[in-house]
C-alpha cells in the first residue's frame, strides 16, 4: 500500500496563442482519497486559483504564467507537481500586420501573416499539440564581422524544443528559439534551418541563407547525377471507395516527362497494400550515393498530425493507418540511402481522417540538405482534378508538366508551379500547393548523368528490359498480322493487332485478341478498368491503324509467361465458306513481374526471355480451323462506358477531390 503520495502524471509546459482553450493535467496515487489544488505564480508570489480543485485545470490562455498543482490526502500528506510554464503568444495577428504589410517588397506568401491565418483556419480546430511554426527565420546578407540573429517560433503542447542546423550539420549548442552570431565570418555562411520537436512530433523550418557581401564570387556549381530513378504510383480503381479519373492520366504523362529527363521510371497503377510495399522496397534498392530519386503518388490519401498516408486500392471502409502507407517512412528510407537528391511529390488530399487512430511510429528525418517535398495542396485541404469531356487531369499535374523540363533548381521549378496554381480562378480558395525542402545545393531534375553511370540505372539496359519487339503472325490462309506492344505503365501493356497482308479472295476479315492463360484471373474486376482513359492512352503511335487490341493489366501479379491467342475469322469470296483460325503467342514473364518476385533482381537478369522474344519472327499455324474462344480483348471501335465517379466533394462536375 502506498504511504506517500506519488505524482503519476505531471502537467506539461505549453506554447499557445492567446485565447486558446488549454487543459493542464495532473494525476496522483495514494493510499486514501486525494484532493487537488492548482496555483499560479503571479508577480513575486504564488496564489491559489479559486475553484481549481480537480485533476484537470481548464484555462483560456491570456498571458504567460507558471502553474503548479498540490495534491494532499486526509492525513495531511501532500506532494507538488512540477512547475509548468504556459507561454502565451500575444497579438500575433497584430504583429503579422506590422511585420508583413503588403506594401513591403519583402512580403511573401509564406510570411507570418499567412502562417497565422493558416494556424487559425486549419490547425487549431483539430490540433493535437504537435509543433506548428508561426514565424520562420529570415535570410541575411551582411558585411563581414556584422552581428546577425535568426529566430523562429512554434506553438506546441508540450512546448517545443529547438535545434539549429547549418548546412545539414547539427549545431550542438544552438538550442533556443533565437540563434545569434556576434560577428559573422565566412565559415558561418550557408543554409540554416531549425527543428522544433516535442512528444507529439517534429516540424522543420524552411532553410534560410546567410551570405557575406564581399565574399569571393564563386563560379556557378554544375551538378551531376550518378543515375536517376523514379517510382510513380497512381491508384484509380478502388474496391471499397469512390473511383478516381485523373491518376492514370497523370502517371502516364509524368512518366513520359521523366523519361525525357533520363530517369529510369517504374510506373504502376492500381496497387494493393502489399504491392505498394513491395514496389517501394524495390525502388529503394535502386537508390545509392549520388543517385537522384523521385517518388510520386496520386490517389486517395489523408493527413493527420503531419503524417501523410496513401490509400491502397484494397483498403477497407473505413481505413486505418495500418491499412495505408506512410509517406514519411518512405522519405526516411530514401534519406538513409544517402542519395544526392530526394524528391517526393504527393498529389492527394490532406484532409484529416480517423482522428482516434494511433499514429504510425516515424523517426525524425535526418537533416541532410537533399530533400524536396511537394504537396499538391495545403494541410487539411483537398486536391482537385479537372474534367474536360472524356479526359481528366489533376490540377497539380496540369501545371507541373508546364515547368518540369525547365533547367532550374527543383525548388524554384516547383515555386513556378505553385504560382500558376495560385492564379487559377477555378481553385481559388480551394487548393494551394505547399513546398518543404532542405535542399542546399542548386540541383535540378534536368542535371545530366555523369559517366560512368550506375550499372543498375543504365537507361539503355532499362529500356531494353521493358521493350517487347513487334511480332508477325502468319495464318495458313495467307493472312499476316503484326502484333505490336505499348507499355502504358510498367504493369500495364496494350497489345495491338494490325492486318498487313490479306489474300484477294478473302473478305470480311476480323481479328480478336484474348488471353488464354490463368493470368486473366489475377486481375481485380472493376468496370473502371475499361473506361475512357484506356481508349485515350491506347491512341499512341502503336495503336494507329490497329484492327483490335488487348489490355494486360496487373502484370506485377504474373507468375509465369503469358499466353495470348489471336482468332481470325474471314469469308472465302469464291466459295462463301466462313474460315476460322487461331494462333497462340507466348509473351515472356514481364520485367515488372520479375522485379516483384525476385529478392535480388538485377537488370542483367534474363529470366523469362528467349531469342524469339527479341527479334521479329513469323509464326505459322499448324491447323486450318479452330473454334473461336471467349474474346477477352476489345475492338478499337467499341465503346466502353466507365463507371468511375468523381471523389467526394464534387463541385459541379468540374472538380473531383482525390
Amino acid at each position: 500500500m502506498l504511504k506517500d503520495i506519488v505524482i503519476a502524471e505531471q502537467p506539461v509546459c505549453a506554447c499557445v496563442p492567446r485565447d486558446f482553450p488549454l487543459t493542464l493535467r495532473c494525476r496522483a496515487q495514494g493510499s486514501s482519497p486525494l484532493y487537488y489544488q492548482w496555483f499560479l505564480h503571479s508577480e513575486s508570489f504564488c496564489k491559489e486559483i479559486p475553484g481549481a480543485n480537480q485533476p484537470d485545470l481548464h484555462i483560456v490562455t491570456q498571458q504567460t504564467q507558471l502553474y503548479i498543482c498540490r495534491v494532499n490526502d486526509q492525513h495531511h500528506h501532500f506532494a507538488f507537481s512540477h512547475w509548468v510554464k504556459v507561454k502565451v503568444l500575444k497579438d500575433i495577428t497584430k504583429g503579422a500586420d506590422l511585420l508583413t504589410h503588403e506594401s513591403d517588397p519583402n512580403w511573401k506568401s509564406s510570411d507570418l501573416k499567412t502562417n497565422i491565418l493558416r494556424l487559425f483556419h486549419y490547425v487549431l480546430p483539430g490540433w493535437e499539440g504537435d509543433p506548428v511554426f508561426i514565424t520562420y527565420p529570415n535570410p541575411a546578407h551582411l558585411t563581414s564581422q556584422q552581428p546577425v540573429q535568426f529566430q523562429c517560433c512554434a506553438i506546441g503542447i508540450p512546448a517545443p524544443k529547438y535545434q539549429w542546423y547549418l548546412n545539414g550539420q547539427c549545431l550542438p549548442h544552438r538550442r533556443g528559439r533565437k540563434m545569434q552570431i556576434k560577428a559573422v565570418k565566412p565559415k558561418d555562411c550557408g543554409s540554416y534551418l531549425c527543428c522544433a520537436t516535442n512528444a507529439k512530433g517534429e516540424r522543420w523550418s524552411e532553410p534560410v541563407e546567410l551570405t557575406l557581401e564581399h565574399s569571393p564570387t564563386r563560379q556557378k556549381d554544375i551538378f551531376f547525377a550518378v543515375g536517376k530513378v523514379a517510382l510513380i504510383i497512381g491508384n484509380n480503381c478502388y474496391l471499397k471507395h469512390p473511383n478516381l479519373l485523373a491518376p492514370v492520366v497523370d502517371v502516364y504523362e509524368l512518366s513520359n516527362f521523366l523519361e525525357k529527363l533520363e530517369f529510369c521510371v517504374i510506373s504502376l497503377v492500381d496497387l494493393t497494400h502489399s504491392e505498394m510495399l513491395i514496389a517501394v522496397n524495390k525502388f529503394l534498392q535502386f537508390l545509392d550515393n549520388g543517385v537522384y530519386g523521385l517518388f510520386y503518388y496520386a490517389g486517395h490519401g489523408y493527413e493527420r498530425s503531419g503524417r501523410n498516408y496513401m490509400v491502397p486500392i484494397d483498403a477497407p471502409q473505413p481505413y486505418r493507418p495500418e491499412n495505408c502507407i506512410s509517406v514519411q517512412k518512405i522519405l526516411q528510407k530514401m534519406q538513409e540511402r544517402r542519395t544526392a537528391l530526394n524528391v517526393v511529390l504527393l498529389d492527394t488530399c490532406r484532409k484529416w481522417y480517423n482522428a482516434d487512430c494511433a499514429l504510425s511510429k516515424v523517426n525524425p528525418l535526418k537533416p541532410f540538405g537533399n530533400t524536396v517535398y511537394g504537396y499538391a495542396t495545403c494541410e487539411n485541404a483537398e486536391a482537385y482534378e479537372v474534367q474536360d469531356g472524356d479526359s481528366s487531369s489533376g490540377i497539380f499535374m496540369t501545371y507541373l508538366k508546364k515547368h518540369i523540363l525547365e533547367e532550374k533548381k527543383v525548388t524554384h521549378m516547383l515555386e513556378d508551379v505553385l504560382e500558376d496554381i495560385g492564379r487559377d480562378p477555378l481553385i481559388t480558395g480551394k487548393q494551394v500547393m505547399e513546398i518543404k525542402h532542405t535542399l542546399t545545393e542548386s540541383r535540378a531534375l534536368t542535371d545530366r548523368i555523369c559517366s560512368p553511370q550506375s550499372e543498375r540505372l543504365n537507361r539503355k539496359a532499362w529500356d531494353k528490359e521493358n521493350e517487347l519487339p513487334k511480332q508477325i503472325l502468319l495464318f495458313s490462309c495467307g493472312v499476316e498480322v503484326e502484333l505490336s506492344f505499348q507499355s502504358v505503365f510498367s504493369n500495364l501493356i496494350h497489345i495491338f493487332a494490325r492486318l498487313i497482308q490479306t489474300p484477294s479472295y478473302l473478305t470480311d476479315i476480323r481479328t480478336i485478341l484474348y488471353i488464354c492463360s490463368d493470368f486473366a484471373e489475377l486481375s481485380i474486376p472493376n468496370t473502371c478498368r475499361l473506361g475512357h482513359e484506356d481508349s485515350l492512352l491506347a491512341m499512341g503511335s502503336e495503336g494507329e491503324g490497329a484492327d483490335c487490341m488487348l489490355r494486360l493489366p496487373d502484370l506485377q501479379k504474373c507468375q509465369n509467361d503469358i499466353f495470348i491467342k489471336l482468332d481470325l475469322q474471314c469469308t472465302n469470296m469464291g466459295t462463301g465458306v466462313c474460315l476460322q483460325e487461331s494462333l497462340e503467342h507466348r509473351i515472356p514473364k514481364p520485367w515488372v513481374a520479375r522485379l516483384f518476385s525476385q529478392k535480388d533482381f538485377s537488370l542483367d537478369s534474363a529470366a523469362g526471355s528467349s531469342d524469339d522474344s527479341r527479334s521479329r519472327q513469323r509464326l505459322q499455324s499448324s491447323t486450318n480451323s479452330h473454334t473461336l474462344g471467349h474474346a477477352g480483348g476489345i475492338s478499337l471501335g467499341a465503346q466502353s462506358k466507365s463507371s468511375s465517379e468523381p471523389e467526394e466533394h464534387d463541385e459541379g462536375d468540374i472538380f473531383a477531390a482525390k
Side-chain angles (χ1 to χ4, degrees), residues 229-303:
V229 61
L231 173 61
I232 308 175
I233 298 176
N235 284 341
N236 262 46
C237 306
Y238 285 83
L239 300 181
K240 298 183 180 180
H241 302 277
N243 290 327
L244 297 171
L245 296 176
V248 64
V249 177
D250 292 345
V251 169
Y252 180 74
E253 292 187 328
L254 181 59
S255 298
N256 290 334
F257 279 110
L258 291 178
E259 287 174 353
K260 293 179 181 179
L261 295 172
E262 299 184 275
F263 273 83
C264 296
V265 178
I266 307 171
S267 59
L268 302 166
V269 292
D270 295 335
L271 299 186
T272 63
H273 184 273
S274 60
E275 290 169 348
M276 289 183 72
L277 289 177
I278 294 174
V280 169
N281 287 331
K282 296 300 181 181
F283 166 66
L284 293 172
Q285 292 177 16
F286 287 109
L287 301 182
D288 207 342
N289 287 338
V291 171
Y292 286 13
L294 185 145
F295 176 80
Y296 170 86
Y297 170 76
H300 285 312
Y302 73 99
E303 176 170 327

Side-chain angles (χ1 to χ4, degrees), residues 442-507:
S442 296
R443 294 189 179 270
L445 298 181
T446 55
D447 291 342
R448 289 181 295 172
I449 296 177
C450 63
S451 182
Q453 298 180 357
S454 166
E455 293 182 3
R456 305 179 68 211
L457 297 179
N458 185 291
R459 266 297 300 274
K460 291 183 178 179
W462 188 282
D463 292 341
K464 188 175 181 179
E465 284 291 338
N466 286 276
E467 180 184 1
L468 287 173
K470 294 180 179 180
Q471 305 289 327
I472 301 296
L473 304 186
L474 175 61
F475 289 89
S476 61
C477 62
V479 173
E480 291 187 15
V481 178
E482 179 187 72
L483 292 183
S484 58
F485 306 86
Q486 179 190 15
S487 294
V488 184
F489 306 109
S490 298
N491 66 335
L492 191 156
I493 294 176
H494 285 164
I495 305 175
F496 302 96
R498 183 171 63 91
L499 293 169
I500 59 174
Q501 181 68 39
T502 58
S504 58
Y505 64 89
L506 297 179
T507 186

Side-chain angles (χ1 to χ4, degrees), residues 28 128 145 197 219 273 379 424 620:
E128 296 186 350
Q145 303 301 316
T197 59
Q219 186 177 2
H273 184 273
E379 191 172 349
D424 191 326
Q620 187 168 352

Side-chain angles (χ1 to χ4, degrees), residues 122-186:
Y122 295 111
V123 178
L124 294 185
W127 183 50
E128 296 186 350
D130 52 303
V132 176
F133 277 104
I134 60 171
T135 60
Y136 290 94
N138 294 317
H141 182 67
L142 309 170
T143 58
S144 184
Q145 303 301 316
Q146 275 191 303
V148 68
Q149 177 175 273
F150 293 119
Q151 61 178 333
C152 58
C153 185
I155 62 172
I157 306 173
K161 296 180 180 179
Y162 299 90
Q163 177 62 64
W164 290 87
Y165 293 81
L166 170 59
N167 296 329
Q169 300 298 316
C170 178
L171 301 175
H173 304 295
R174 304 290 189 174
R175 296 179 179 175
R177 187 171 66 86
K178 299 179 181 180
M179 193 204 72
Q180 185 175 18
I181 302 175
K182 294 182 178 180
V184 175
K185 300 177 182 178

